[in-house]
């Protein structure tokens, strides 16, 4: 029963009781009818026999057998079931007969009353023919019989036999059973059909619901069923629809979230988290496509490799958050300017890539230059500090010559280095020749070259005088020690050509130490030339890396000792930016050196974040104002005001001020009017080889 | 019918009461009539009532009714000098065993039965007489002549008993110019054959009482066979007419009682002469089965008229 569907169950529910009732009723009715028919047939047999007997009496008594035969025939013809009729006299002699012979053994029986035999296919009835008694005497008190000789005789004068066939009864019975069965079957069919029709009203909604639930389970959340039923079924239908609606809603929401997450993942796979620009992988993919396009169709594309200058400072000074913020702002800035079809991507750290598709090199230059200027003009402000950023751009024209994007990236890298080598914040277009240059620019190359330069004395020291402008009671003469490199041709190479590389490959400490040692050596020379006396003060530039070098103090101390240079004659120039990278270390170093007697000069003041607050902390003796303000003070009142304010503050803190980039007498006059203590510049004295100054200062 | 029955029952009861009261007074009663019956029946009651009425009205005689049962219980219950009227064959047989000097009158008894009892009891015919049940043959012949005037012959079946009086019938038929076609039957087997033979030739069958020929068992066959031959049967009793006979002349118990009362009065007037000889019924009735008559296509006049006509034949008006 449990494996049946609801339709079958309803059908069974309707049919089984009906079937049981029908079977019981039919059985009862058949049994009843059969018994009635049996009784009726027996009754008929008895009636025929018992009526035929008196009817035959006269014929038998009177010996009038002629009237018996028609009587028998008549009985036969009136009753279809009668097989035979026999009338005998009291001795069993046949008087009249019709039909088949009566079985012999029955004829032997002497019956006094009505008797019957059931022989299966036939029923035999027999009845004695009795003599009728009619009273003839008026007075029973005078019966003539009483005196008669006659004894009490047997009144049976004959016998009637009637043989009935049960064939027709059998036939009737079987037809009755057949009809009853037919009626039962038809009734069951009809009731089954009606049950099916009625049941459909129940099963159809349930099946619809079951199907809908199945569909829902398969994921068809839009599945709804018509709420056509009434009562509980309608409640179910409504409940299903509500449930399906809620499931669909929940599913849709989930799907939306999955889509969103997928979209984010896809975006993240292709984009940089921080800036939202394409990431390196996506960029390389596009690059590959572009390269293929170039190889197949000969189209022109340009790839710019952009590396931010000064980013490290922001990152180190203000923390990673600030660095990230800077990157975001730069990204936004750059992205606003690139064309829609171009791809700007962050390739890592502070490196960006720009892919300019279908773009000539000349156009690329214009775009790149625009971007470079934008970055240059951009000021990053963090808390109360302001930073100036630059960008070095290595540009590569993508030609079919490139085998793969690896070679393109390599070329761009090389070009970018070249840009940096050339003094940063500029654009360098990759040339095939650069390959060789690039090779020479390789790390080992540089390390080797710089070391070699130091050993071969390819480096040389120049110095530029710092002269008093305003009235200062300072008898000492100041010179800034500058590093130059002399190439194979004897041509001088500006420091910006190798400093970036040196910074990159951590060669600055070596360079700084070379400068310190050689300056000390020169000062020894100076002292030796002037009887161990000199009023000269040499200012040595220290890079930020060196300020963090814990062994630097010992090295300086050692060199001062070796060359017996009075510490008072040495002044170290540090830049704000390098000083604040690790202020603690720097302060420590500064106090230690000050203790020895060395002095400090804060370089490029006002260029970057330039906070006056540092001035309070850093024990500097001099403050060198950034040349950018100084060179234009004659024409720019803001710059003048800046210089004035820097000076007045420095003076308030008893720090002497130095103006660099002093390139005209006009500037000198203005500086004097302001009260700036010292000046430095081409107008006051160009850098000259140190040996020349030492010679000039020789006490005649 | 109920009233009749009730009346009879009252009569019987009073009769019984009388018997019981009078038994100790038998010595005082000079002339008493004792009616001996086998058992009380409507017929005996009818007879007794009428007899009592007749006797009381005329001579103030008391009628005492005694059953056979009472008689066998107390033989002394009968007065020595009383006349015994025995009703029916059985009662007559009983009465025949009484004191031979006692006068016994049998009523409602067929002549053959009386003859047999008389012979067997060897009683003195002077004190042992009867009023027969049987109608005299001339009377029956007269009936036949009245209702079937055109018949010329007459079929009769005699049995062993009735054969004794066959000569009377022969005489009567001859007197009426009728040919008697007589068949004598000595066994039941012969009945059908002889009946047919008789019916084939005779115009009418006259039934005469005989236990062998005319009894309850044979009645239907005889009537039906006659009917098949379209021959009328003249019966000997009212019952026979009801059973299918065309007509019968008979006497009712009252008619017999009337005749009995006359005999008793006559006898009491002259006791020394003894009882008169046995006689046929003096008073009678005629009954006709109209249905049978219609079936046979016979026109018959009124029963009373027939009866009167028969009376006139027997006793022509003075």
């Amino acid at each position: 029963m449990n494996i049946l569907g609801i339709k079958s169950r309803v059908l069974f529910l309707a049919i089984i009781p009906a079937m049981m009732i029908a079977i019981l009723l039919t059985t009862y009715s058949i049994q009843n009818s059969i018994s009635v028919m049996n009784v009726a047939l027996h009754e008929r047999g008895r009636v025929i026999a018992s009526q035929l007997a008196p009817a035959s009496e006269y014929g038998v008594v009177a010996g009038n057998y002629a009237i018996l035969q028609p009587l028998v025939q008549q009985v036969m013809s009136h009753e279809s079931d009668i097989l035979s009729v026999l009338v005998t006299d009291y001795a069993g002699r046949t008087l009249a007969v019709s039909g088949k012979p009566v079985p012999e053994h029955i004829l032997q029986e002497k019956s006094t009353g009505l008797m019957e035999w059931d022989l299966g296919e036939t029923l035999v009835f027999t009845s004695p023919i009795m003599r009728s008694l009619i009273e003839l005497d008026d007075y029973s008190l005078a019966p003539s019989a009483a005196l008669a000789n006659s004894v009490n005789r047997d009144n049976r004068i004959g016998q009637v036999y009637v043989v009935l066939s049960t064939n027709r009864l059998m036939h009737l019975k079987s037809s009755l059973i057949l009809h009853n069965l037919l009626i039962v079957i038809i009734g069951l069919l009809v009731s089954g059909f009606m049950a099916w029709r009625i049941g459909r009203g129940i099963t159809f909604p349930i099946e619809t619901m079951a199907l809908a639930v199945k569909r829902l389970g398969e994921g068809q959340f839009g599945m709804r069923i018509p709420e056509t039923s009434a009562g509980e079924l309608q409640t179910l239908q409504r409940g299903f629809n509500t449930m399906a609606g809620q499931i669909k809603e929940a599913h849709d929401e989930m799907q939306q979230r999955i889509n969103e997450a997928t979209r984010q993942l896809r975006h993240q796979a292709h984009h940089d988290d921080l800036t939202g620009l394409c990431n390196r992988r996506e960029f390389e993919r596009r690059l590959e496509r572009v390269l293929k396009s170039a190889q197949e169709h000969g189209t022109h594309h340009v790839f710019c490799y952009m590396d931010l200058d000064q980013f490290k400072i922001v990152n180190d000074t203000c923390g990673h958050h600030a660095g990230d913020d800077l990157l975001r702002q730069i990204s936004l800035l750059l992205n606003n300017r690139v064309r829609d079809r171009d791809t700007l991507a962050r390739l890592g750290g502070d490196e960006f890539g720009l892919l300019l598709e279908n773009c000539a090199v000349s156009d690329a230059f214009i775009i790149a230059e625009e971007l470079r200027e934008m970055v240059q003009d951009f000021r990053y402000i963090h808390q109360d500090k302001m930073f100036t950023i630059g960008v070095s751009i290595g540009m590569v024209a993508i030609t079919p010559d490139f085998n793969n994007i690896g070679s393109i990236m390599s070329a761009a890298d090389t070009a970018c280095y070249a840009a940096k080598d050339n003094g940063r914040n500029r654009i360098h277009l990759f040339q095939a020749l650069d390959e060789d240059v690039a090779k020479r620019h390789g790390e080992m190359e540089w390390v080797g070259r710089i070391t070699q330069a130091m050993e071969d004395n390819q480096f040389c020291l120049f110095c530029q005088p710092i002269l008093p402008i305003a009235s200062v009671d300072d008898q000492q003469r100041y010179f800034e020690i500058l590093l130059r490199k002399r190439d194979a041709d004897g041509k001088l190479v500006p420091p910006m050509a190798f400093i970036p590389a040196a910074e990159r490959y951590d060669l600055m400490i070596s360079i700084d130490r070379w400068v310190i040692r050689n300056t000390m050596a020169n000062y020894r020379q100076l002292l030796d030339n002037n009887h161990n006396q000199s009023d000269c003060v040499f200012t040595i530039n220290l890079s930020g890396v060196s300020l963090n070098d814990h062994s630097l103090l010992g090295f300086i101390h050692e060199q001062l000792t070796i060359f017996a240079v009075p510490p008072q004659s040495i002044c170290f120039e540090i830049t704000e930016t390098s000083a604040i990278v690790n202020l603690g270390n720097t302060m420590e170093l500064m106090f230690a050196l000050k203790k020895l007697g060395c002095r400090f000069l804060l370089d490029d003041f006002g260029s970057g974040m330039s906070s006056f607050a540092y001035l309070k902390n850093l024990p500097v003796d001099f403050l060198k104002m950034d040349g950018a303000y100084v060179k234009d003070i004659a024409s720019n009142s803001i710059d003048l005001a800046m210089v004035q304010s820097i000076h007045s503050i420095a003076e308030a803190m008893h720090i002497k001020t130095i103006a660099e980039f002093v390139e005209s007498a006009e500037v000198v006059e203005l500086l004097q009017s302001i009260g700036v203590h010292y000046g430095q510049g081409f107008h006051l004295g160009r850098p000259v080889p140190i040996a020349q100054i030492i010679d000039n200062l020789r006490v005649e | 019918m109920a009233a009749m029955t009730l009346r009879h029952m009252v009569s019987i009861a009073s009769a019984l009461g009388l018997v019981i009261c009078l038994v100790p007074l038998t010595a005082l009663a000079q002339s008493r009539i004792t009616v001996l019956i086998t058992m009380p029946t409507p017929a005996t009651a009818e007879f007794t009532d009428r007899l009592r009425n007749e006797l009381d009205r005329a001579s103030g005689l008391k009628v005492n009714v005694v059953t056979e049962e009472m008689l066998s219980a107390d033989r002394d219950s009968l007065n020595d000098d009383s006349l015994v009227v025995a009703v029916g064959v059985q009662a007559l047989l009983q009465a025949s065993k009484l004191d031979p000097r006692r006068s016994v009158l049998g009523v409602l008894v067929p002549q053959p039965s009386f003859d047999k009892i008389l012979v067997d009891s060897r009683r003195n015919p002077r004190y042992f007489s009867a009023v027969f049940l049987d109608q005299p043959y001339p009377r029956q012949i007269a009936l036949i002549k009245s209702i079937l005037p055109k018949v010329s012959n007459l079929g009769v079946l005699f049995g062993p008993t009735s054969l004794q009086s066959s000569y009377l019938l022969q005489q009567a038929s001859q007197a009426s110019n009728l040919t008697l076609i007589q068949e004598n039957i000595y066994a039941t087997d012969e009945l059908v054959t002889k009946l047919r033979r008789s019916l084939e030739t005779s115009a009418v069958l006259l039934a005469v009482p005989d236990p062998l020929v005319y009894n309850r068992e044979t009645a239907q066959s005889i009537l039906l066979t006659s009917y098949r031959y379209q021959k009328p049967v003249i019966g000997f009793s009212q019952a026979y007419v009801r059973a299918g006979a065309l007509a019968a002349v008979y006497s009712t118990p009252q008619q017999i009682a009337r005749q009995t009362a006359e005999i008793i009065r006559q006898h009491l007037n002259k006791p020394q002469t003894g009882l008169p000889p046995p006689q046929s019924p003096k008073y009678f009735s005629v009954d006709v089965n109209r249905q049978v008559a219609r079936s046979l296509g016979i026109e018959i006049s009124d029963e009373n008229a027939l009866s009167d006509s028969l009376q006139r034949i027997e006793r022509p008006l003075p």
Side-chain angles (χ1 to χ4, degrees):
Chain A
M1 203 66 175
N2 283 332
I3 58 163
L4 295 175
I6 188 161
K7 197 180 270 179
S8 313
R9 288 187 195 203
V10 169
L11 213 56
F12 274 116
L13 194 66
I15 285 181
I16 283 175
M19 194 159 72
M20 290 175 73
I21 290 169
I23 287 169
L24 288 174
L25 271 179
T26 307
T27 311
Y28 172 74
S29 135
I30 287 173
Q31 215 164 21
N32 209 27
S33 302
I34 286 174
S35 113
V36 165
M37 284 160 78
N38 276 332
V39 168
L41 188 68
H42 281 82
E43 196 57 43
R44 262 172 66 210
R46 280 195 288 273
V47 167
I48 291 166
S50 57
Q51 288 182 346
L52 185 60
S56 308
E57 182 190 349
Y58 168 70
V60 175
V61 169
N64 192 352
Y65 308 140
I67 68 158
L68 289 177
Q69 195 59 36
L71 187 67
V72 166
Q73 299 282 2
Q74 204 173 18
V75 172
M76 278 289 282
S77 61
H78 279 193
E79 296 287 343
S80 55
D81 287 336
I82 297 178
L83 279 181
S84 51
V85 178
L86 171 67
V87 180
T88 64
D89 63 6
Y90 67 93
R93 285 187 292 267
T94 300
L95 301 182
V97 67
S98 182
K100 295 177 184 173
V102 176
E104 202 54 43
H105 69 274
I106 287 169
L107 294 178
Q108 306 297 326
E109 301 268 350
K110 295 291 174 191
S111 69
T112 52
L114 187 69
M115 283 179 73
E116 57 186 83
W117 291 269
D118 192 342
L119 303 179
E121 286 192 5
T122 53
L123 293 172
V124 182
F125 298 87
T126 181
S127 178
I129 304 171
M130 301 300 286
R131 198 187 303 271
S132 302
L133 299 180
I134 295 175
E135 202 60 64
L136 294 180
D137 295 324
D138 280 343
Y139 318 115
S140 58
L141 66 168
S144 48
L147 294 174
N149 293 327
S150 64
V151 290
N152 193 17
R153 286 196 308 148
D154 181 11
N155 281 324
R156 194 177 67 87
I157 54 170
Q159 196 78 21
V160 169
Y161 296 93
V162 176
V163 182
L164 292 186
S165 166
T166 56
N167 275 346
R168 203 169 74 91
L169 182 70
M170 292 294 179
H171 180 71
L172 273 174
K173 284 178 186 173
S174 55
S175 121
L176 176 78
I177 291 170
L178 189 69
H179 286 158
N180 270 299
L181 283 178
L182 270 176
I183 288 166
V184 166
I185 288 166
I186 289 167
L188 285 179
L189 284 177
V190 169
S191 69
F193 174 72
M194 283 167 69
W196 175 74
R197 283 293 301 273
I198 295 164
R200 208 168 53 161
I202 304 166
T203 60
F204 181 72
I206 291 177
E207 279 179 341
T208 311
M209 265 187 278
L211 187 68
V213 168
K214 192 179 166 212
R215 291 274 156 76
L216 192 68
E218 286 166 354
Q220 297 183 21
F221 299 108
M223 203 66 206
R224 293 293 182 279
I225 44 178
E227 297 174 13
T228 48
S229 297
E232 294 88 342
L233 282 174
Q234 197 191 22
T235 310
L236 276 177
Q237 288 172 336
R238 195 172 293 158
F240 173 82
N241 283 342
T242 312
M243 202 170 66
Q246 285 172 354
I247 288 174
K248 180 173 166 51
E249 235 169 73
H251 178 266
D252 286 353
E253 197 182 332
M254 179 70 76
Q255 192 59 48
Q256 206 175 339
R257 281 161 66 178
I258 288 170
N259 288 343
E260 181 65 23
T262 309
R263 199 185 58 72
Q264 273 182 8
L265 276 176
R266 194 181 299 127
H267 188 265
Q268 279 172 5
H270 295 155
H271 292 79
D272 174 50
D273 279 348
L274 181 64
T275 58
L277 298 176
C278 288
N279 60 14
R280 186 173 193 109
R281 200 168 57 189
E282 173 66 8
F283 190 80
E284 283 175 351
R285 198 179 61 74
R286 294 192 188 183
L287 197 58
E288 189 129 39
R289 177 166 55 83
V290 163
L291 174 62
K292 207 170 176 183
S293 155
Q295 284 168 341
E296 290 174 0
H297 306 112
T299 49
H300 296 281
H301 315 287
V302 175
F303 169 36
C304 298
Y305 189 93
M306 304 187 285
D307 193 306
L308 296 183
D309 304 325
Q310 313 300 336
F311 170 74
K312 196 170 161 55
I313 293 165
V314 175
N315 212 21
D316 292 347
T317 310
C318 310
H320 294 295
H321 287 300
D324 290 348
D325 189 34
L326 171 62
L327 286 174
R328 265 196 295 271
Q329 291 192 23
I330 292 289
S331 301
L332 209 57
L333 199 67
L334 296 177
N335 210 22
N336 281 342
R337 197 53 62 95
V338 299
R339 304 174 303 178
D340 283 345
R341 65 172 184 274
D342 298 333
T343 305
L344 180 67
R346 181 170 173 234
L347 302 179
D350 56 348
E351 293 154 2
F352 292 87
L354 177 65
L355 184 61
L356 301 166
E357 294 183 46
N358 298 312
C359 183
V361 173
S362 53
D363 294 333
F365 252 114
I366 295 167
I367 294 166
E369 181 56 26
E370 210 176 311
L371 295 178
R372 191 196 63 75
E373 280 179 10
M374 264 172 45
V375 174
Q376 188 183 355
D377 293 344
F378 175 74
R379 295 287 181 274
Y380 177 68
I381 297 164
H382 181 257
Q383 291 171 350
D384 52 356
K385 296 189 283 288
M386 187 168 73
F387 296 90
T388 308
I389 315 292
V391 62
S392 302
I393 301 175
M395 187 180 288
V396 178
I398 297 169
T399 61
D401 300 337
F402 287 105
N403 290 328
N404 51 41
I405 60 165
S407 54
I408 296 173
M409 292 296 277
S410 172
D413 200 32
T414 304
C416 190
Y417 286 149
K420 283 191 187 290
D421 278 354
N422 295 341
R424 291 177 170 155
N425 198 22
R426 64 195 66 224
I427 300 164
H428 184 90
L429 178 65
F430 175 78
Q431 305 290 332
L433 285 174
D434 289 351
E435 296 276 16
D436 299 331
V437 178
K439 274 178 191 164
R440 278 190 278 127
H441 280 212
E443 182 179 3
M444 294 309 293
E445 191 79 16
W446 269 107
V447 174
R449 275 174 61 204
I450 290 171
T451 315
Q452 189 68 37
M454 289 190 280
E455 286 171 0
D456 295 355
N457 281 328
Q458 281 178 6
F459 284 126
C460 55
L461 296 175
F462 274 54
C463 57
Q464 191 178 21
I466 299 170
L467 300 174
I469 297 172
S471 57
V472 280
D473 51 353
D474 190 354
Q475 298 305 311
Q476 289 183 306
R477 302 170 70 175
Y478 298 90
F479 296 94
E480 182 182 0
I481 304 298
L482 302 168
L483 181 65
R484 291 293 184 271
K485 186 171 170 284
R486 204 179 290 277
D487 64 8
D489 310 339
K491 223 169 82 180
L492 285 173
V493 178
M496 288 315 290
F498 57 87
I499 293 296
E503 279 178 347
R504 190 177 183 85
Y505 300 118
D506 290 333
L507 292 169
M508 279 313 293
I509 290 176
S510 303
I511 289 173
D512 280 346
R513 295 195 177 194
W514 187 90
V515 170
I516 293 167
R517 190 167 58 245
N518 280 283
T519 304
M520 299 296 185
N522 277 303
Y523 203 88
R524 181 71 259 159
Q525 186 69 49
L526 183 68
L527 287 173
D528 288 351
N529 289 354
N530 298 301
H531 313 295
N532 219 16
Q533 280 201 325
S534 174
D535 55 356
C536 287
V537 174
F538 285 178
T539 67
I540 302 170
N541 286 287
L542 285 180
S543 70
V545 184
S546 291
L547 287 174
N548 272 328
D549 180 10
H550 292 286
S551 59
L552 184 66
L553 179 61
F555 178 76
I556 292 170
H557 198 266
E558 184 188 84
Q559 295 303 317
L560 286 171
T561 313
I562 289 171
F563 294 106
V565 174
Q568 294 78 13
S569 308
I570 302 297
C571 179
F572 292 103
E573 285 194 30
I574 58 169
T575 60
E576 277 186 306
T577 50
S578 58
I580 61 173
V581 166
N582 194 327
L583 200 59
N585 279 355
T586 307
M587 300 265 280
E588 203 178 315
L589 179 69
M590 284 173 81
F591 281 114
L593 288 174
K594 289 272 286 187
K595 214 170 179 181
L596 288 175
C598 296
R599 282 178 291 179
F600 278 92
L601 184 155
L602 191 59
D603 198 4
D604 293 341
F605 192 85
S607 66
M609 64 257 80
S610 294
S611 166
F612 289 106
Y614 290 119
L615 281 180
K616 287 201 286 184
N617 298 324
L618 292 172
V620 293
D621 304 283
F622 302 97
L623 192 153
K624 189 184 276 183
M625 293 184 283
D626 195 278
Y629 302 119
V630 178
K631 69 178 181 188
D632 291 331
I633 59 170
S635 55
N636 191 322
S637 57
I638 296 171
D639 287 352
L640 180 64
M642 278 292 280
V643 170
Q644 282 176 330
S645 64
I646 291 169
H647 174 74
S648 57
I649 288 167
E651 202 160 47
M653 296 172 79
H654 306 293
I655 296 169
K656 297 284 193 323
T657 52
I658 300 166
E660 59 179 358
F661 277 56
V662 179
E663 288 171 350
S664 63
E666 197 181 4
V667 170
V668 174
E669 278 176 31
L670 277 169
L671 291 172
Q672 278 177 335
S673 68
I674 294 165
V676 173
H677 303 101
Y678 304 95
Q680 180 185 9
F682 286 176
H683 182 68
L684 298 174
R686 286 175 176 272
V688 293
I690 193 164
Q692 197 181 326
I693 295 291
I694 290 172
D695 276 352
N696 288 349
L697 292 175
R698 186 186 293 266
V699 178
E700 302 302 328
Chain B
M1 185 72 181
M4 280 288 282
T5 309
L6 190 63
R7 191 157 62 89
H8 292 158
M9 285 171 72
V10 168
S11 311
I12 291 161
S14 58
L16 285 171
L18 270 174
V19 168
I20 293 163
C21 293
L22 290 178
V23 165
L25 301 174
T26 44
L28 296 176
Q30 287 299 312
S31 298
R32 278 182 200 277
I33 306 299
T34 299
V35 177
L36 180 65
I37 58 172
T38 307
M39 59 192 296
T41 64
T44 55
E46 205 176 320
F47 174 83
T48 313
D49 283 353
R50 183 60 188 267
L51 182 65
R52 191 173 282 150
N53 272 345
E54 290 280 341
L55 292 180
D56 185 46
R57 191 181 58 200
S59 51
L61 282 170
K62 298 296 176 189
V63 175
N64 182 25
V65 178
V66 176
T67 62
E68 278 182 40
E69 202 177 353
M70 287 160 62
L71 190 64
S72 59
D74 181 11
R75 194 163 284 270
D76 297 332
S77 62
L78 290 177
N79 290 342
D80 288 345
D81 59 344
S82 66
L83 175 65
V84 173
V85 179
V87 184
V89 177
Q90 193 66 32
L92 183 61
L93 187 61
Q94 195 72 25
S96 71
K97 292 166 185 170
L98 295 170
D99 184 352
R101 290 166 299 179
R102 186 180 291 274
S103 299
V104 172
L105 180 68
V107 295
L108 297 174
V109 179
Q111 187 185 357
S113 300
F114 174 79
D115 291 344
K116 191 173 186 306
I117 291 168
L118 178 63
V119 172
D120 289 348
S121 65
R122 296 177 187 168
R123 291 187 74 102
N124 184 353
R126 281 190 62 181
Y127 304 107
F128 197 76
S129 185
V131 178
F132 297 141
L133 185 59
D134 317 58
Q135 299 295 323
Y137 290 125
R139 188 179 293 162
Q140 300 208 40
I141 296 294
L143 176 66
I144 291 168
K145 292 292 276 183
S146 297
I147 59 177
L148 298 166
K150 291 175 184 168
V151 295
S152 59
N153 59 18
L154 171 68
V156 181
L157 299 176
F158 287 112
T161 308
S162 56
L163 193 57
Q164 297 167 15
S165 57
S166 61
Y167 70 97
L168 290 174
L169 184 54
Q170 284 165 2
Q171 284 174 358
S173 56
Q174 273 174 7
S176 300
N177 291 323
L178 288 173
T179 311
L180 184 69
I181 298 166
Q182 177 182 344
E183 292 287 348
N184 297 335
I185 294 166
Y186 303 99
T188 314
D189 299 348
E190 302 169 352
L191 175 65
V192 173
T193 327
K194 291 189 174 173
L195 172 64
R196 281 195 189 154
R197 206 162 62 198
S198 172
L199 288 170
E200 275 164 13
T201 49
S202 53
V204 56
L205 180 69
L206 175 65
V208 292
D210 186 294
L212 181 74
V213 182
Y214 298 102
N215 55 45
R216 293 186 297 174
E217 293 159 14
T218 58
Q220 191 180 26
S221 318
I222 293 168
L223 281 169
L224 281 173
T225 309
S226 311
Y227 180 71
R228 286 186 65 80
Y229 282 88
Q230 293 283 297
K231 302 290 169 64
V233 174
I234 303 301
F236 48 76
S237 64
Q238 201 177 6
Y240 216 147
V241 174
R242 279 200 293 274
L246 175 64
V249 57
Y250 64 95
S251 297
T252 63
Q254 291 190 30
Q255 288 167 335
I256 298 289
R258 182 182 170 193
Q259 190 177 353
T260 304
E262 287 169 9
I263 291 169
I264 289 169
R265 281 198 295 270
Q266 194 184 335
H267 169 67
L268 292 177
N269 287 337
K270 288 182 242 173
Q272 62 278 14
T273 57
L275 290 169
Q279 50 190 267
S280 293
K282 188 175 167 187
Y283 306 103
F284 57 89
S285 301
V286 173
D287 202 0
V288 175
N289 188 327
R290 298 277 162 192
Q291 185 64 37
V292 173
R294 199 155 39 245
S295 300
L296 294 173
I298 298 168
E299 288 280 337
I300 299 177
S301 52
D302 178 56
E303 282 95 337
N304 290 331
L306 275 174
S307 180
D308 292 348
S309 124
L310 293 185
Q311 295 277 7
R312 279 195 297 277
I313 292 167
E314 287 184 21
R315 283 189 288 271
L317 290 169

